Amino acid sequence: MSTSSTQSRGINRRFNSLQSNGHAPRDGSHPRKRVITHNDAYLYALRVAYLTYLLQPRARRTQHIPAPPAPVNRSSTSVNDLMKDFSLIRDSKSTRFPHGFMSELERRLTGVLMGREKKPEYNDATVKRTFAAFFNAFTEQSFKKRMEKDRRVEDLVLIFFSNATKELQKGKTPGDDSWKLMADRHLALFVRLISLVLKDHDWARDRPELAGRLATLESKLLAHDQDLSSTPTRNGASAGTAVEVAIPLSYEVKDMPLVQVVARIFGLTNTQVQSDINKYKPLWTERAALQDLKSYQTYLNLNSKKTLRSDDFHFDEAYDCWRKGEDHDLSQMMLAIIQSSPELAKSTPGSSLPKSNRQMSSPDSGDTSYPDNLSRASDFSERSSYVIDQPVDMTTLSSGSQSPVSSNDDENSFTFIPPDPRAFYRFIVAEALTYDLNDKTLQPSEATADAPAVKLLSKQSTELLNELGLRWRIHPVSRMVLSLDVVREKYIDQEKEYTLDTLDAFFNFIKAQRPETKKNQGTMNSLLHDRTKWVVTDTALYQQILSALHEALMRDLYNIMQQCYESKPPSIGPIMYVLENHIYDDSSFSKSREELDAFSGALHEGLQQKAHDMYRSYLEKHVPQDQQCWEFYHVIELGKAVTALAQKIQKRYKKNPEIMGVNPLTALVETILPLYAEDARDIVTRILDLAQASGEEVPIEDGFQLYGELVDIRRVHGEVLPKVPFPFPIEATLAEFVWRWIRMTESSINDWVDQAIKQDQFRVRTENPQQIPTEEQRHSVSVMDIFSSFGQTIDRVVQLNWDDDLQYAKFMTALAKMVGAGIARYCDTVEQLFTKEMDRLSPEQEAAASQTKQEKWLQLAKDTWNNKDKIEPFQFFPESFVKLNNIDFAAQQLDKLEHEVNVDACAAVIQSHAPPVTQRQKKTNNYVFTIKIVEAEDLKACDMNGSSDPYVVLGDEYQKRLAKTRIVYRNLNPRWDESVDIITQGPLNIIATVWDWDAMGDHDCVGRASLKLDPSHFGDFLPREYWLDLDSQGRILLRVSMEGERDDIQFYFGKAFRTLKRTERDMTRIITDKLSAYIHHCLSRRTLRNLTSKGITMSTVSSYFNRNRPQPTTQAPSEAEITNALKPLFAYFDDNFAIMNQTLTGTAMVMVMTRLWKEVLVTVEGLLVPPLSDKPSAQRQLSQQELDIVFKWLQYLFDFFHAVDDETGEANGVPLGVLRSPKYFDITTLNFFYFESTDALIRTSERMASATAARQQSQRNRLSAPASLASPAFGGAAGLMGGLPSTRRSKSIMLSRNLGTMKKAKEEKWKEAQADPNDDMILRILRMRPQAERYLKDRSRQRERLAANAAAEIIVKQSLMAGGGRMTGNLPRR
């Protein structure tokens, strides 16, 4: 019967027997209507409360009794008689010492002997002597071991008395008996010490019987002595003694606590209750109470319906367990009455006395599975009236020999037990609860984290109910169930005092009935959860209570949930807490799944209807009836109301989203969101149609606000209904607002840039002009303003959280185009301002400009005669350097913006949605031609000094200027290395005009050349080089590449980066041009001649006419002289660097120094060899001495630009990786070939050319792409066909879309330059050897043939490729 199925069968068996036989097992054992009057319930409660007063322990007082004239003679053997109280229950566990007692007693005895005991009676020397004698015997190992095992009181007391007697007899004559009374006194002190040990360790609470018997033994030992703390005469010859006597009962209500409780509960005064007590005092006696117990025991033995029977329990084992506990309780209650009135034992016939034997008195006799606390309800607690101080030998008291009741079971023969105990108990519980809940003086319980503060039964009411249940022999579980039934009835009747908190508190109250000992606590919990030991009627009633409460709670829950969408709905927490913790968790509750599902369905439907009503109220509130008045504002407000409601419900039920299987948020969203989406779609469509018909436009911000609101609603819809599509196509409807905003912003971008530049003074942003600016303060506000505008523009679209990836990527592409246009505008304007500042005239030039033409010629002749070549440092403006800082800062901000926009992801999205190439519509494309003006050679001299100051202007066939280079002073073989982008949709003819700059008068035309830019010739998008012959003299080298301008976000960002970098390079080149003149002046052949010759001699004059003849060996200049030759240049650098360092950022400073280093390398290279060409050069080869000087200069300059700190060793200048450029390595390699013979140089050149050709052929075979066979040196057919392109798309815009790709492309170019050595330097050396003229021409024709073959190979491969290049299909056809 341990399984639940067996228990269920047993329960059904009991129920079936009740229904089929109609047998009532006991009056009141099952619910039956009985009319109980208020007065009857009061009288029965009063008599129990009065009986409690009669049976309570008597208060005692001290009374002085004169000593008898004769000495008291007492035999020591009287101790054995006193110990009979313990010997009667020798084996009872309740009278044994607890475990651990012996060690504590030993510690207390040690304190007495050491004088640490605080009690004064233990400080006497004689007492210490007797205690010492006992202590010796007590600490003996065998005795101590036996005591720890048996733990019997009598053994310990007797051994003490024995040792005390021996000790006190010492020194006494045989006839002297004075020691006997002293022995009793010392024994009493020992017993008191035992009681103190029990009390200090709270053992007396668990063993009340042991504590009581010890107190009784102590009082008997002191019967012939005074108080222990006094100092009486030791021999008993005192004048008298003080004894404790019992105080007689007053029979007044003021001394009866429980009677007062009854009076308060039933609303009576103490006078009225006193009158009733006086009236019924002769009847309500201890004898009547004893007679009730004997009658009840008789009914129990006769299996009468006045008591519980086996049929009232589910199982026989449960009945047997209850019966054992009942017999035990009856015996203890009888003993308590006999102790209170010992005369009842004398007047009662011997055969009627209950026997106090082991079976009755020992707790071991009963079944331990039945708790003592429930059967006795704290009978022997400190507040109970049933305390047995000593055992009474009532072996003859038995109810089995006689029956004081008649054979009529229906007759009520009890005095204290009512005819229907359950009904009376329930009535009194109701009265007690009503009174206590209305009692304002009753303090509620303290609030905890799990339960609020509530008022329930008071402590006095609980004691009264316990006494009633105990006296009326009501099963403990019945008390719990009946009390709960009262609360159930009051709660369902909706009495205001009975709230959910009251219901919860009462459930907790009946579950938390704690016994006095921890031992019984576990047993009680076992009984509460083990329903097999319950009475059948209690089980049925408990199930009915739970079912009724469940129906009431579910009804309340439904009503509350109908208000869940309101602003301040009632909380469902208390209801759900009671349901989950007290109804559903109870094993006695049973409810079918179908019934719960039906409730969930009804609740869900009710919530949907409430949600529909809520939406209709919002619609009427926020949307007007007249369609002409509709605005986006109405849709937004309606959406805000719907969203706020959904968010509020989501937050409200976040921790518990489902209530009884119903999700309020789901019911709300699945009802109102589809309604809102459909209404919003119709309203928005109607608004747009009306606006289009009237020619008006809806404000853009209204569209943005509407989109944000709709997206929030769609997000909530997706979270709650993930599988249901949102019925409103938001992006398709509102995308036009974003495009309108982008177009509006694009039209204003130039104004933004112009206004930012106009308001900028281009100064460092320091508070104090004398303060050294930090790196972050070295750019001005204009660049910050425009990028702040860019960021706000992009953030405005980003903050929309556009949910269509393709549309979002297109928005970002359009914004990237706008950003690129703004950056181009900023770069053009800033560069123009920068150029204007850098091209300003010096004071000397301004003075010269005011001279007449004759004065200018005279001044020029004078300067020429005086050989004036001193160059003054250029006075830079700080504002110019700030502009360069702005461009560098703009590149950094653009790179950051590129990462924030996630350009690659946007491009990938657009590419994934692009149609196949064959399905793309033909459209006119823009093509970006990048033209790099590299250099020119053999230009016409236009100045009187036999030189020119050339610069190049590019224009189209319509004479529109496209670009202009810087001026290269005093050079007929200038090198510009400047690039320009030209956008065209078809073929375009460009004209390159070389001009000679003159300080006075008009500039002279050096020569012109033209080139046709045809996109069809650049279908492979690879770079080409063109040597263009000028119409006068000389030629110019142009490097041309093409890239299609696409509507691509990567292209736009790359173009913007390229614009910034080109502007940065141009501005840096302008700065370095101001310094390059002095570099050329210091690093010139004139300086070399000054070092190698000590004045003008005939040898120097003759050497001038014989420049190709080897120079005579002269004394080499010293290291100091070589160093001093560069000191003016170093001082010039230091002066200018100091000015720059005050304004330029660290990055810009390194960039300027890097550009100067390149200028130094170009200058040194020009000293060593002529430019690359197929014609012999008139430049003289340097001598060994001059070569050594040049390389020492190069090393000094290398160290200067690296700028290593002597103390720290840290490099503060240009990094080594930049200094050791490919050109630097080319110059250093000249030392190996410079003085080689012409034949050796030719052989080396041929060998290197063969290796290069083989390597390029291998690359073509592996990559299926043409290799770079063109050289920037030769023209002819190679120039007409274009130089052979490299395998990499050099300077591609796509490779310049951010700082990372630009840095990577630069590193790859550097690696290619180092990994692909060529013989250019050898060819340049051979130009200074007249005998190599024929080889140079042959080598030029060879390169022309290779270039023609490579071009033909490219054409063939392109014709064989399906679809051609990536943009071949879009090329215009001729």
Side-chain angles (χ1 to χ4, degrees):
M1 287 185 283
S2 61
T3 63
S4 59
S5 60
T6 306
Q7 294 176 2
S8 178
R9 290 196 297 272
I11 293 175
N12 294 332
R13 175 173 61 84
R14 297 302 184 187
F15 279 137
N16 293 335
S17 65
L18 286 175
Q19 295 174 0
S20 60
N21 298 331
H23 177 67
R26 176 191 176 189
D27 286 346
S29 63
H30 66 285
R32 186 175 66 181
K33 292 185 181 288
R34 174 185 290 273
V35 179
I36 299 175
T37 63
H38 186 273
N39 187 61
D40 290 344
Y42 156 70
L43 289 177
Y44 274 103
L46 180 61
R47 64 187 69 185
V48 171
Y50 175 68
L51 179 61
T52 304
Y53 171 73
L54 295 178
L55 298 181
Q56 68 181 355
R58 302 290 191 271
R60 307 181 76 85
R61 65 186 176 188
T62 304
Q63 182 176 347
H64 181 74
I65 301 176
V72 178
N73 294 322
R74 183 174 180 184
S75 176
S76 62
T77 58
S78 63
V79 177
N80 294 327
D81 296 334
L82 295 176
M83 295 307 298
K84 288 182 179 179
D85 294 346
F86 292 93
S87 62
L88 289 176
I89 50 175
R90 180 183 181 91
D91 295 332
S92 175
K93 293 182 179 179
S94 62
T95 58
R96 291 185 180 183
F97 291 121
H99 291 285
F101 174 79
M102 297 304 168
S103 60
E104 294 298 329
L105 178 62
E106 182 179 354
R107 185 180 61 82
R108 198 65 176 264
L109 288 171
T110 303
V112 172
L113 298 178
M114 299 296 294
R116 295 195 300 266
E117 183 60 45
K118 296 181 181 180
K119 302 291 183 180
E121 56 266 28
Y122 294 97
N123 294 328
D124 185 75
T126 308
V127 173
K128 291 184 178 180
R129 184 160 56 87
T130 56
F131 270 63
F134 166 73
F135 187 78
N136 293 331
F138 178 74
T139 55
E140 199 272 327
Q141 291 298 326
S142 60
F143 176 76
K144 188 175 181 180
K145 184 176 181 180
R146 185 172 72 254
M147 286 305 301
E148 290 178 351
K149 177 181 180 182
D150 297 337
R151 296 180 285 114
R152 291 195 295 242
V153 179
E154 57 270 27
D155 295 342
L156 196 62
V157 172
L158 290 177
I159 195 64
F160 179 88
F161 185 78
S162 175
N163 284 276
T165 300
K166 293 179 182 179
E167 187 64 29
L168 292 174
Q169 282 180 345
K170 293 181 180 179
K172 302 292 183 182
T173 61
D176 187 1
D177 294 336
S178 62
W179 59 271
K180 294 182 179 179
L181 193 60
M182 185 67 67
D184 291 345
R185 174 182 172 82
H186 288 193
L187 181 59
L189 286 172
F190 179 68
V191 173
R192 177 173 292 187
L193 187 67
I194 293 175
S195 299
L196 289 174
V197 174
L198 292 174
K199 184 178 180 180
D200 290 345
H201 292 81
D202 204 24
W203 286 325
R205 185 178 180 88
D206 294 337
R207 286 171 170 76
E209 187 174 356
L210 174 60
R213 295 184 186 279
L214 288 173
T216 302
L217 177 60
E218 180 186 343
S219 63
K220 289 180 179 180
L221 289 171
L222 295 176
H224 302 287
D225 204 353
Q226 296 178 354
D227 185 70
L228 293 177
S229 61
S230 63
T231 312
T233 306
R234 304 299 179 185
N235 58 6
S238 62
T241 183
V243 296
E244 288 185 350
V245 296
I247 301 176
L249 297 175
S250 65
Y251 297 100
E252 295 180 0
V253 174
K254 64 181 182 65
D255 297 328
M256 305 176 185
L258 285 187
V259 171
Q260 296 177 18
V261 174
V262 173
R264 289 195 297 269
I265 289 176
F266 286 92
L268 301 176
T269 64
N270 289 349
T271 304
Q272 293 173 317
V273 176
Q274 185 69 57
S275 176
D276 291 335
I277 288 178
N278 294 337
K279 178 180 178 180
Y280 293 104
K281 182 168 64 175
L283 299 177
W284 297 347
T285 62
E286 294 95 328
R287 185 180 300 277
L290 181 62
Q291 185 60 41
D292 278 0
L293 293 177
K294 293 190 292 181
S295 299
Y296 179 83
Q297 191 175 40
T298 300
Y299 288 132
L300 188 63
N301 294 332
L302 294 176
N303 201 23
S304 171
K305 65 180 181 179
K306 290 183 177 293
T307 65
L308 294 176
R309 297 180 296 178
S310 60
D311 289 343
D312 292 321
F313 290 88
H314 298 292
F315 302 102
D316 295 336
E317 292 84 350
Y319 172 74
D320 295 339
C321 178
W322 171 82
R323 178 61 186 272
K324 291 179 182 179
E326 198 73 358
D327 292 340
H328 178 270
D329 290 346
L330 290 174
S331 299
Q332 294 297 323
M333 293 170 67
M334 290 180 186
L335 288 175
I337 295 175
I338 295 301
Q339 180 191 4
S340 177
S341 299
E343 66 275 5
L344 294 179
K346 299 177 181 179
S347 62
T348 302
S351 60
S352 301
L353 294 175
K355 185 176 181 180
S356 178
N357 54 14
R358 179 179 179 182
Q359 181 181 359
M360 288 296 182
S361 60
S362 176
D364 297 338
S365 62
D367 190 350
T368 57
S369 64
Y370 194 86
D372 295 341
N373 62 295
L374 287 180
S375 62
R376 299 192 297 273
S378 306
D379 295 354
F380 307 109
S381 67
E382 58 184 8
R383 65 174 183 266
S384 177
S385 59
Y386 313 108
V387 179
I388 302 176
D389 291 337
Q390 60 184 1
V392 180
D393 191 5
M394 300 178 178
T395 57
T396 60
L397 183 61
S398 174
S399 60
S401 60
Q402 59 181 357
S403 176
V405 297
S406 63
S407 60
N408 185 6
D409 288 345
D410 294 335
E411 181 183 353
N412 184 29
S413 58
F414 298 112
T415 301
F416 292 94
I417 303 177
D420 189 350
R422 289 172 59 93
F424 275 83
Y425 183 84
R426 186 183 186 282
F427 186 91
I428 296 172
V429 168
E431 294 296 324
L433 279 171
T434 301
Y435 173 78
D436 287 340
L437 291 177
N438 292 319
D439 185 7
K440 296 182 180 179
T441 62
L442 178 62
Q443 296 297 325
S445 63
E446 296 184 1
T448 63
D450 299 327
V454 294
K455 292 173 61 176
L456 209 57
L457 287 172
S458 63
K459 181 179 180 181
Q460 295 79 7
S461 299
T462 304
E463 292 178 359
L464 174 62
L465 293 175
N466 284 339
E467 291 293 335
L468 293 176
L470 178 70
R471 182 56 55 187
W472 296 348
R473 307 313 302 151
I474 300 177
H475 195 280
V477 177
S478 299
R479 305 176 206 173
M480 174 193 71
V481 175
L482 291 172
S483 302
L484 183 60
D485 189 42
V486 171
V487 177
R488 185 270 312 163
E489 181 181 12
K490 299 290 186 180
Y491 176 77
I492 293 178
D493 292 343
Q494 297 184 351
E495 296 188 12
K496 63 179 182 179
E497 295 87 358
Y498 290 83
T499 62
L500 283 169
D501 292 337
T502 307
L503 184 62
D504 173 58
F506 200 85
F507 268 110
N508 293 328
F509 174 75
I510 61 179
K511 292 179 180 180
Q513 291 291 324
R514 295 188 299 273
E516 297 299 328
T517 63
K518 295 182 179 179
K519 173 183 176 183
N520 290 333
Q521 184 174 1
T523 310
M524 175 186 179
N525 293 333
S526 175
L527 178 61
L528 289 176
H529 292 88
D530 187 2
R531 307 295 167 85
T532 61
K533 295 182 180 180
W534 283 25
V535 180
V536 174
T537 307
D538 291 337
T539 302
L541 178 59
Y542 188 66
Q543 292 176 347
Q544 294 174 7
I545 293 172
L546 294 180
S547 179
L549 286 175
H550 181 260
E551 293 179 2
L553 292 171
M554 296 296 278
R555 182 172 57 254
D556 295 343
L557 177 62
Y558 183 88
N559 294 332
I560 291 178
M561 288 300 296
Q562 295 305 301
Q563 308 174 53
C564 71
Y565 298 142
E566 298 179 0
S567 58
K568 294 182 178 180
S571 175
I572 64 171
I575 292 182
M576 295 305 301
Y577 182 84
V578 173
L579 283 172
E580 293 175 357
N581 292 275
H582 303 311
I583 304 297
Y584 295 145
D585 283 354
D586 200 301
S587 59
S588 297
F589 176 78
S590 60
K591 204 72 172 179
S592 64
R593 185 73 246 179
E594 291 77 12
E595 294 177 353
L596 295 178
D597 292 341
F599 174 81
S600 300
L603 179 59
H604 187 76
E605 293 178 359
L607 292 179
Q608 285 183 322
Q609 183 60 41
K610 286 293 181 182
H612 190 276
D613 297 340
M614 290 290 294
Y615 176 74
R616 287 302 170 193
S617 64
Y618 287 156
L619 187 64
E620 295 174 359
K621 178 181 178 181
H622 296 289
V623 180
Q625 296 293 330
D626 187 5
Q627 296 184 7
Q628 300 296 329
C629 300
W630 284 355
E631 296 180 359
F632 281 4
Y633 171 79
H634 300 130
V635 183
I636 292 173
E637 291 301 314
L638 179 60
K640 288 182 178 179
V642 171
T643 304
L645 178 61
Q647 291 176 347
K648 181 170 63 176
I649 299 304
Q650 185 180 30
K651 182 178 180 181
R652 183 177 295 169
Y653 298 100
K654 183 177 181 180
K655 294 183 178 179
N656 299 300
E658 288 193 357
I659 311 298
M660 302 300 296
V662 178
N663 191 320
L665 180 61
T666 303
L668 174 71
V669 172
E670 69 184 9
T671 302
I672 65 174
L673 291 192
L675 293 175
Y676 172 78
E678 295 173 0
D679 291 343
R681 178 193 60 200
D682 297 339
I683 294 174
V684 170
T685 303
R686 181 59 178 168
I687 292 174
L688 295 177
D689 292 342
L690 291 175
Q692 184 177 5
S694 61
E696 299 178 354
E697 287 187 344
V698 179
I700 295 176
E701 285 300 322
D702 291 353
F704 285 175
Q705 293 180 9
L706 177 61
Y707 179 79
E709 194 62 39
L710 292 174
V711 167
D712 290 340
I713 293 177
R714 184 173 60 186
R715 176 182 54 79
V716 177
H717 183 278
E719 292 175 355
V720 182
L721 305 173
K723 298 182 180 180
V724 179
F726 194 68
F728 187 2
I730 305 174
E731 284 73 22
T733 305
L734 302 179
E736 182 58 28
F737 287 90
V738 184
W739 287 117
R740 283 174 51 196
W741 184 81
I742 292 176
R743 290 193 295 268
M744 181 186 68
T745 306
E746 188 175 5
S747 63
S748 305
I749 190 68
N750 289 338
D751 292 337
W752 294 356
V753 174
D754 294 342
Q755 290 298 322
I757 295 175
K758 183 178 181 181
Q759 298 176 10
D760 192 2
Q761 297 180 354
F762 294 99
R763 296 178 181 175
V764 292
R765 294 174 294 107
T766 56
E767 298 179 358
N768 186 358
Q770 304 301 325
Q771 180 182 354
I772 298 176
T774 62
E775 287 290 315
E776 291 75 14
Q777 296 175 335
R778 299 196 175 212
H779 53 268
S780 61
V781 296
S782 61
V783 69
M784 298 173 61
D785 291 342
I786 65 169
F787 272 94
S788 176
S789 301
F790 294 158
Q792 293 174 4
T793 303
I794 294 175
D795 287 343
R796 191 67 185 91
V797 177
V798 173
Q799 290 171 2
L800 292 176
N801 294 320
W802 203 261
D803 201 32
D804 189 312
D805 292 341
L806 180 59
Q807 288 184 351
Y808 177 79
K810 290 181 178 180
F811 294 157
M812 290 296 106
T813 301
L815 291 175
K817 182 178 180 181
M818 179 201 68
V819 170
I823 290 176
R825 178 79 171 191
Y826 184 79
C827 289
D828 291 342
T829 307
V830 170
E831 188 174 7
Q832 289 175 10
L833 295 175
F834 180 84
T835 302
K836 184 177 180 181
E837 293 170 356
M838 300 299 290
D839 289 346
R840 71 184 186 278
L841 297 177
S842 63
E844 294 180 355
Q845 292 173 338
E846 292 179 355
S850 62
Q851 295 176 347
T852 63
K853 188 173 183 180
Q854 184 178 2
E855 292 174 342
K856 293 179 181 179
W857 282 106
L858 290 174
Q859 183 66 34
L860 179 61
K862 183 179 180 180
D863 292 340
T864 304
W865 177 261
N866 295 328
N867 197 20
K868 181 179 179 181
D869 55 2
K870 182 179 180 182
I871 301 176
E872 298 293 336
F874 184 79
Q875 299 299 323
F876 293 100
F877 286 163
E879 292 82 355
S880 302
F881 293 146
V882 171
K883 293 180 178 65
L884 180 58
N885 293 340
N886 287 357
I887 301 300
D888 180 63
F889 179 77
Q892 299 175 16
Q893 293 300 308
L894 184 63
D895 185 66
K896 185 185 300 183
L897 190 64
E898 192 263 352
H899 287 87
E900 292 175 355
V901 172
N902 199 354
V903 169
D904 293 339
C906 293
V909 169
I910 295 177
Q911 183 65 30
S912 64
H913 290 82
V917 178
T918 57
Q919 298 179 8
R920 296 178 187 175
Q921 297 180 356
K922 302 293 183 179
K923 63 178 182 179
T924 304
N925 287 334
N926 292 331
Y927 300 97
V928 181
F929 282 95
T930 301
I931 301 176
K932 183 174 184 179
I933 304 172
V934 183
E935 61 180 338
E937 65 177 22
D938 196 19
L939 296 181
K940 180 179 66 174
C942 297
D943 295 337
M944 295 180 62
N945 57 5
S947 183
S948 294
D949 303 318
Y951 66 91
V952 180
V953 174
L954 287 184
D956 61 8
E957 54 192 355
Y958 305 105
Q959 298 183 356
K960 177 183 178 182
R961 176 180 287 191
L962 301 176
K964 175 187 175 183
T965 67
R966 75 185 191 281
I967 302 171
V968 179
Y969 296 97
R970 300 180 182 180
N971 200 324
L972 297 179
N973 298 291
R975 190 175 186 89
W976 294 280
D977 286 327
E978 295 187 21
S979 300
V980 63
D981 287 341
I982 299 175
I983 301 176
T984 180
Q985 295 182 353
L988 177 68
N989 291 318
I990 63 170
I991 301 173
T993 304
V994 183
W995 293 90
D996 172 51
W997 179 86
D998 287 328
M1000 298 174 296
D1002 297 333
H1003 300 180
D1004 300 325
C1005 179
V1006 179
R1008 292 183 179 86
S1010 63
L1011 176 66
K1012 183 178 182 179
L1013 301 179
D1014 193 343
S1016 62
H1017 295 166
F1018 292 84
D1020 54 356
F1021 299 98
L1022 297 177
R1024 288 166 170 77
E1025 293 182 348
Y1026 297 93
W1027 275 105
L1028 303 179
D1029 294 329
L1030 300 179
D1031 55 2
S1032 58
Q1033 176 183 335
R1035 57 182 180 172
I1036 185 172
L1037 175 62
L1038 301 181
R1039 185 174 296 136
V1040 183
S1041 63
M1042 186 196 74
E1043 183 158 358
E1045 186 179 61
R1046 306 190 304 274
D1047 188 19
D1048 182 87
I1049 188 171
Q1050 292 178 332
F1051 177 85
Y1052 291 132
F1053 267 96
K1055 185 177 179 181
F1057 270 109
R1058 191 168 179 178
T1059 301
L1060 286 170
K1061 285 302 179 182
R1062 179 172 296 158
T1063 304
E1064 188 177 57
R1065 288 194 301 269
D1066 291 345
M1067 294 172 68
T1068 304
R1069 184 179 291 112
I1070 293 174
I1071 294 174
T1072 56
D1073 284 347
K1074 298 300 180 181
L1075 307 178
S1076 60
Y1078 198 72
I1079 295 175
H1080 297 317
H1081 172 74
C1082 295
L1083 302 178
S1084 62
R1085 291 192 173 236
R1086 178 182 298 177
T1087 307
L1088 280 176
R1089 287 197 300 269
N1090 292 336
L1091 279 175
T1092 56
S1093 63
K1094 309 300 183 182
I1096 300 177
T1097 62
M1098 290 302 296
S1099 61
T1100 57
V1101 174
S1102 61
S1103 65
Y1104 177 78
F1105 295 99
N1106 299 280
R1107 286 178 290 183
N1108 293 329
R1109 185 180 302 171
Q1111 300 297 318
T1113 304
T1114 60
Q1115 183 179 359
S1118 64
E1119 290 289 337
E1121 292 175 340
I1122 296 175
T1123 305
N1124 291 334
L1126 292 182
K1127 279 186 177 181
L1129 181 61
F1130 289 156
Y1132 184 71
F1133 282 156
D1134 288 337
D1135 294 340
N1136 287 278
F1137 288 169
I1139 298 174
M1140 296 178 188
N1141 199 37
Q1142 294 177 359
T1143 308
L1144 285 178
T1145 62
T1147 305
M1149 189 67 191
V1150 172
M1151 183 170 54
V1152 171
M1153 293 179 66
T1154 302
R1155 179 62 193 175
L1156 285 174
W1157 171 248
K1158 292 181 179 178
E1159 193 68 29
V1160 168
L1161 293 179
V1162 171
T1163 304
V1164 171
E1165 185 182 43
L1167 287 175
L1168 297 174
V1169 290
L1172 188 63
S1173 178
D1174 57 347
K1175 300 177 181 179
S1177 174
Q1179 181 174 334
R1180 178 184 60 84
Q1181 186 172 343
L1182 298 179
S1183 64
Q1184 182 66 52
Q1185 187 181 72
E1186 292 173 334
L1187 184 66
D1188 294 341
I1189 294 174
V1190 171
F1191 276 103
K1192 287 182 180 180
W1193 283 350
L1194 182 62
Q1195 184 62 42
Y1196 294 155
L1197 290 167
F1198 184 94
D1199 296 338
F1200 176 82
F1201 278 89
H1202 193 38
V1204 177
D1205 193 330
D1206 295 335
E1207 296 181 357
T1208 63
E1210 180 180 0
N1212 300 317
V1214 182
L1216 282 177
V1218 177
L1219 293 173
R1220 294 171 177 171
S1221 62
K1223 184 175 288 295
Y1224 174 79
F1225 283 106
D1226 288 343
I1227 294 175
T1228 56
T1229 56
L1230 281 175
N1231 203 17
F1232 299 100
F1233 304 107
Y1234 202 74
F1235 295 107
E1236 289 285 336
S1237 64
T1238 302
D1239 294 339
L1241 290 176
I1242 292 175
R1243 288 194 298 271
T1244 304
S1245 175
E1246 290 176 345
R1247 185 171 60 254
M1248 296 178 68
S1250 300
T1252 301
R1255 183 168 55 254
Q1256 291 174 350
Q1257 181 64 37
S1258 175
Q1259 291 177 356
R1260 288 197 300 270
N1261 295 336
R1262 183 176 67 252
L1263 301 176
S1264 298
S1268 177
L1269 296 177
S1271 170
F1274 301 101
L1280 294 176
M1281 293 295 297
L1284 287 178
S1286 66
T1287 58
R1288 184 177 58 87
R1289 294 174 58 186
S1290 176
K1291 297 292 183 181
S1292 170
I1293 290 179
M1294 301 303 293
L1295 295 177
S1296 305
R1297 64 177 183 270
N1298 56 43
L1299 294 179
T1301 56
M1302 296 174 69
K1303 183 178 180 181
K1304 185 177 180 180
K1306 188 173 183 180
E1307 292 175 353
E1308 292 179 356
K1309 181 180 177 182
W1310 203 302
K1311 291 179 180 178
E1312 286 185 6
Q1314 292 181 350
D1316 191 14
N1318 53 58
D1319 59 342
D1320 289 350
M1321 283 297 177
I1322 296 177
L1323 294 175
R1324 296 173 72 172
I1325 296 174
L1326 291 175
R1327 286 195 63 193
M1328 296 184 293
R1329 308 287 179 87
Q1331 59 271 29
E1333 180 179 1
R1334 184 177 181 81
Y1335 175 75
L1336 292 174
K1337 293 181 179 180
D1338 293 341
R1339 184 64 187 277
S1340 176
R1341 289 194 293 269
Q1342 179 186 6
R1343 289 201 173 190
E1344 290 176 5
R1345 289 194 302 271
L1346 292 174
N1349 294 335
E1353 184 178 354
I1354 292 173
I1355 296 174
V1356 172
K1357 288 185 177 180
Q1358 289 179 352
S1359 63
L1360 295 177
M1361 292 175 61
R1366 187 175 50 172
M1367 299 183 64
T1368 303
N1370 294 330
L1371 293 176
R1373 304 300 183 195
R1374 290 188 178 182

